[in-house]
């Protein structure tokens, strides 16, 4: 997975396409970097901490301001943390060092579960970006610079008749 994420800084590209015929059509992309806790790496310490490569983080944020890191602790759960937050933690802890470590106590208040992240992405649509650079990176359109995995979500809502959408015509008369 490491060689795939060197170009974009991402392991996963997410594309969300939403279509509500006659009302809304949108395409949103986002990027994800996945990190296992040191506790899951046999040669590392047994702590729930993650090593973050600043160059990879900066590259990810250049392509998507709402990019996230999916941090996997020893329990196997997935903590979703905004990449912007990790950049701030890294700057506070280590200035401009090329590699820094964040622990559970650093991210616990900013992290959400994977389930909540996916709900926010698909239902809220306030995550992800619509810029050509973000969508291109998330879709893996450049074979030399693409995530290893892709998550494509398509949501299509049925077309509603005006009389159903506006409710019965006798209300308020």
């Amino acid at each position: 997975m490491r060689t795939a994420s060197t170009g974009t800084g991402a392991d996963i590209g997410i594309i969300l396409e939403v279509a509500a015929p006659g009302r809304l059509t949108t395409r949103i992309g986002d990027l994800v970097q996945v990190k296992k806790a040191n506790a899951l790496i046999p040669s590392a310490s047994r702590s729930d901490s993650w090593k973050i490569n600043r160059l990879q983080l900066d590259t990810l944020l250049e392509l998507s301001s709402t990019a996230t890191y999916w941090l996997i602790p020893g329990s196997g759960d997935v903590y979703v943390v905004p990449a912007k937050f990790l950049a701030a933690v890294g700057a506070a802890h280590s200035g401009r060092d090329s590699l820094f470590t964040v622990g559970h106590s650093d991210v616990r208040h900013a992290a959400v579960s994977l389930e909540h992240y996916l709900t926010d992405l698909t239902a809220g649509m306030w995550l992800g970006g619509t810029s050509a650079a973000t969508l291109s990176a998330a879709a893996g359109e450049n074979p030399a610079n693409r995530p290893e995995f892709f998550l494509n979500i398509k949501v299509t809502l049925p077309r509603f008749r005006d009389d159903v959408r506006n409710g019965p015509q006798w209300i308020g008369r």
Side-chain angles (χ1 to χ4, degrees):
M1 204 178 325
R2 291 300 130 231
T3 57
S5 64
T6 56
T8 60
D11 287 322
I12 302 172
I14 300 174
I15 293 288
L16 168 66
E17 295 179 53
V18 178
R23 298 290 176 209
L24 167 76
T25 300
T26 189
R27 187 170 183 239
I28 299 170
D30 217 355
L31 298 170
V32 176
Q33 175 60 45
V34 180
K35 296 287 182 187
K36 320 189 263 194
N38 289 338
L40 296 172
I41 301 170
S43 61
S45 68
R46 304 305 306 162
S47 67
D48 276 341
S49 60
W50 299 268
K51 293 199 180 304
I52 308 296
N53 178 308
R54 186 175 308 279
L55 178 60
Q56 188 177 54
L57 172 62
D58 291 345
T59 301
L60 195 66
L61 284 170
E62 284 175 17
L63 292 168
S64 174
S65 63
T66 63
T68 60
Y69 273 64
W70 292 3
L71 305 178
I72 305 172
S75 67
D77 294 330
V78 177
Y79 301 145
V80 180
V81 179
K84 284 190 267 190
F85 180 80
L86 291 177
V89 170
H93 283 215
S94 60
R96 294 298 302 164
D97 291 349
S98 63
L99 192 68
F100 62 93
T101 301
V102 295
H104 180 264
S105 62
D106 294 317
V107 301
R108 69 177 180 236
H109 296 297
V112 297
S113 69
L114 183 58
E115 297 84 14
H116 284 103
Y117 168 79
L118 292 173
T119 300
D120 288 349
L121 180 69
T122 56
M125 293 189 298
W126 49 78
L127 301 174
T130 57
S131 75
T134 300
L135 290 169
S136 176
E141 292 173 353
N142 180 351
N145 184 8
R146 59 182 285 167
E148 180 74 17
F149 300 99
F150 298 94
L151 177 60
N152 294 307
I153 303 168
K154 291 186 180 189
V155 179
T156 303
L157 303 172
R159 181 180 294 276
F160 290 105
R161 295 186 340 241
D162 283 337
D163 61 325
V164 173
R165 181 178 39 249
N166 295 328
Q169 300 304 310
W170 52 268
I171 293 180
R173 289 187 185 169

